Amino acid sequence: MSCSRPLHYPRPRPGARAEDPVQSAQTLIQEQIEAFLHNDADSAYSFAAPGIKALFPDKDSFFAMVKKSYQPVYHPGNYAFGKSRAIDNGAVVYQEVLITGTDGKDWTAIYQIARQPDGSYKINGVQILPNATSEGI
C-alpha cells in the first residue's frame, strides 16, 4: 500500500503565529490523516476530543467506527484544505477538507476543532458530504 500525500501543504499566512487557530487545526487534521494512512490507531485516537472519546472509549472502537463510516478520511487518495472559519476568538475552528477517495469519488469533510482547557486543539467531530465543491462554512 502506498501512502498518498495531500495535494498541497498549507502555506503559512503572512503574520501567522504558531498558535494561529486555523494553522493549528490544519496541522492536527493532517497528522490524524497520516496516522490513519499508517494504521496507527494510538496516534489517530490521540487527536480526538473528550466528547468523541466518551462515545468511543478505546482506540479500537474509534478506529473501527472511522474505517466503517469515514472511509474517505481513513484512507484518502488525495486531500486539500478548503475554506476555514475560526469563531469565539479561536475556541472553535471549522475546516473544510476536500478529499478524493482511493475509489476516485470526491468528498467534502467538515472538521470541527475545539480548543481544550490546556490550550491544545482536538477534533470534536467530522461531517462528510459526497462531493468536493466548496460550499463554504
Side-chain angles (χ1 to χ4, degrees):
M1 165 172 48
S2 65
C3 289
S4 298
R5 289 285 182 225
L7 297 174
H8 71 284
Y9 287 96
R11 294 187 178 179
R13 293 173 295 175
R17 300 180 316 268
E19 63 271 8
D20 178 307
V22 170
Q23 186 178 21
S24 295
Q26 290 177 349
T27 298
L28 183 70
I29 293 165
Q30 191 169 310
E31 289 176 356
Q32 187 181 56
I33 290 173
E34 286 295 317
F36 287 139
L37 286 169
H38 291 96
N39 292 313
D40 183 349
D42 286 324
S43 291
Y45 189 61
S46 73
F47 299 112
I52 301 298
K53 288 183 174 181
L55 294 171
F56 303 96
D58 60 66
K59 66 179 179 163
D60 296 327
S61 62
F62 172 76
F63 215 63
M65 175 275 300
V66 172
K67 282 203 275 191
K68 180 180 179 193
S69 301
Y70 294 88
Q71 187 66 34
V73 170
Y74 170 64
H75 276 178
N78 284 305
Y79 67 96
F81 292 110
K83 296 179 182 178
S84 58
R85 181 174 58 148
I87 61 172
D88 293 336
N89 211 17
V92 177
V93 176
Y94 292 95
Q95 177 65 57
E96 225 177 34
V97 181
L98 307 174
I99 299 169
T100 299
T102 54
D103 60 0
K105 293 183 181 175
D106 292 329
W107 302 87
T108 299
I110 300 173
Y111 282 75
Q112 182 190 67
I113 311 296
R115 187 171 50 220
Q116 304 303 297
D118 68 359
S120 68
Y121 285 87
K122 298 286 183 181
I123 298 170
N124 200 43
V126 179
Q127 178 184 12
I128 192 159
L129 307 168
N131 71 56
T133 304
S134 177
E135 301 294 336
I137 45 179

